[in-house]
């Protein structure tokens, strides 16, 4: 493989997965990236297993056809509902966000009791609970459907968002879960709320960002996949990032910047035929 840079494909229902791309860029700047945001069909968080699975497989095929050598399923909902289906359909390694997030939470939690927040669909799938119970950790999952639209509105430091988060977390940490000591951010949008959630969550609680945990797992996967010399030598060069969006390119640039923390330039519209 020489000194070729690996191409990592990142998939999400929309803009939120850019929080995962951000974590990947920080940890693995020696790769190039292609990002697929299925903005025309978002949100996934309120859709069925069948629909999310079908959409996610189409996106995975698209990324593979455009050169992805590893697929990162940044969307918690797509991972929770369809990781097995995506992995079966793909010809390259697939990394989802649930297992890395659960592994970090299990490592961080001293009481072996954790709260996970996510979309309605992620919570109903119980994917996080299964992954945590397999590690000897008791989990309570709490759907927080109002948080995604509030983040997309840009209200990440807003009194309304703070009040909404306070109500959700009071319910999640109530009734026998006062001693849970980790909060897993099981949705792409929630890392933007980290400062607010730190204020609102009980003070003894550690926040586990599954975006960061996932980036660490992808980095390990790449070390296995690529020859060390080829992987290391191009560290100097900046990553190339290409974005594909199924809805408005202009909107993707505008909202994307907020999630990624810098300009989103090279965006191409994709029309996926049903
Ligand atoms: N990307 C989704 C997730 O992480 C949130 C947005 C949506 O519902 O599509 O669960």
């Amino acid at each position: 493989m020489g000194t070729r840079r690996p191409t990592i494909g990142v998939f999400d229902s929309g803009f939120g997965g850019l929080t995962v791309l951000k974590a990947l860029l920080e940890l693995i700047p020696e790769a190039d990236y292609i990002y697929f945001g299925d903005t025309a069909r978002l949100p996934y968080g309120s859709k069925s297993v069948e629909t999310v699975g079908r959409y996610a497989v189409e996106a995975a095929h698209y990324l593979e056809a455009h050169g992805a050598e590893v697929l990162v399923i940044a969307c918690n909902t797509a991972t929770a509902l369809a990781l097995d289906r995506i992995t079966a359909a793909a010809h390259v390694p697939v990394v989802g966000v649930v297992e890395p997030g659960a592994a970090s939470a299990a490592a961080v939690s001293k009481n072996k009791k954790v709260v996970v927040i996510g979309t309605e669909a992620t919570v109903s799938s119980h994917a996080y609970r299964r992954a945590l119970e397999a590690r000897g950790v008791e989990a309570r999952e709490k759907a927080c459907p109002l948080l995604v639209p509030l983040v997309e509105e840009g209200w990440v430091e807003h009194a309304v968002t703070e009040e909404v988060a306070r109500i959700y977390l009071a319910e999640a940490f109530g009734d026998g879960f006062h001693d849970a000591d980790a909060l897993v951010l099981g949705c792409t949008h929630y890392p933007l709320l980290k400062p607010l959630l730190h204020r609102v969550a009980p003070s003894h609680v550690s926040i586990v960002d599954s975006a960061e945990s996932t980036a660490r797992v992808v980095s390990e996967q790449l070390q296995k996949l690529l020859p060390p010399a080829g992987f290391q030598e191009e560290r100097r060069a900046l990553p190339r990032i290409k974005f594909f969006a199924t809805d408005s390119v202009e909107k993707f640039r505008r909202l994307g910047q907020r999630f990624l923390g810098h300009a989103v330039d090279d965006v191409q519209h994709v029309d996926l035929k049903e």
Side-chain angles (χ1 to χ4, degrees):
M1 283 195 202
T3 57
R4 195 179 55 77
R5 296 166 69 92
T7 299
I8 301 178
V10 182
F11 163 61
D12 182 52
S13 57
F15 323 94
L18 294 170
T19 57
V20 177
L21 178 61
K22 189 168 181 230
L24 286 163
L25 284 165
E26 272 163 28
L27 207 65
I28 320 172
E30 59 273 45
D32 290 327
Y33 292 87
I34 48 178
Y35 180 98
F36 186 105
D38 198 3
T39 42
R41 305 193 288 197
L42 107 186
Y44 280 17
S46 52
K47 293 195 169 69
S48 68
V49 173
E50 171 49 35
T51 302
V52 169
R54 186 156 44 84
Y55 289 178
V57 166
E58 283 176 19
H61 282 152
Y62 192 90
L63 285 168
E64 260 195 69
H66 285 76
E69 293 161 272
V70 177
L71 286 177
V72 180
I73 311 305
C75 181
N76 286 260
T77 304
T79 302
L81 271 59
L83 185 66
D84 290 349
R85 191 165 159 186
I86 302 166
T87 307
H91 307 92
V92 296
V94 180
V95 180
V97 283
V98 172
E99 285 292 324
S104 295
V108 157
S109 172
K110 292 190 183 67
N111 299 343
K112 299 295 166 209
K113 219 164 172 183
V114 162
V115 166
V116 183
I117 52 175
T119 64
E120 205 74 67
T122 297
V123 164
S124 324
S125 77
H126 299 304
Y128 271 105
R129 189 163 82 193
R130 275 196 305 277
L132 284 159
E133 282 178 358
R135 293 170 168 85
V137 176
E138 195 182 343
R140 173 174 288 166
E141 298 157 296
K142 171 80 185 154
C144 302
L146 294 175
L147 295 183
V148 165
L150 287 167
V151 170
E152 291 196 356
E153 192 61 31
W155 289 15
V156 294
E157 277 299 342
H158 194 288
V160 167
T161 313
E162 185 150 341
E163 189 53 24
V164 168
R166 210 177 284 287
I167 295 168
Y168 281 144
L169 293 191
E171 286 171 11
F173 284 92
D175 288 331
F177 258 73
H178 298 283
D179 55 343
D181 57 0
L183 173 66
V184 180
L185 309 185
C187 175
T188 48
H189 288 54
Y190 302 168
L192 276 86
L193 295 174
K194 247 194 254 176
L196 184 148
L197 292 171
H198 263 299
R199 289 200 302 275
V200 171
S203 56
H204 66 280
V205 168
S206 307
I207 291 187
V208 176
D209 181 344
S210 49
E212 286 167 5
S213 321
T214 303
R216 281 196 293 274
V217 171
V218 176
S219 171
E220 286 158 22
Q221 281 267 353
L222 277 181
Q223 310 287 350
K224 277 187 249 160
L225 221 70
L226 297 165
F231 190 48
Q232 296 300 336
E233 270 169 27
E234 280 210 45
R235 261 195 174 263
R236 293 149 276 124
L238 285 175
R240 261 193 309 264
I241 320 172
K242 190 166 177 49
F243 301 92
F244 301 101
T246 52
D247 193 24
S248 155
V249 163
E250 190 278 320
K251 188 173 181 197
F252 191 89
R253 280 207 194 96
R254 194 161 30 86
L255 265 169
Q257 178 155 12
R258 211 182 282 158
F259 285 85
L260 193 60
H262 63 75
V264 169
D265 298 318
D266 188 0
V267 191
Q268 192 183 312
H269 180 257
V270 177
D271 199 3
L272 286 182
K273 298 273 173 289
E274 283 285 324

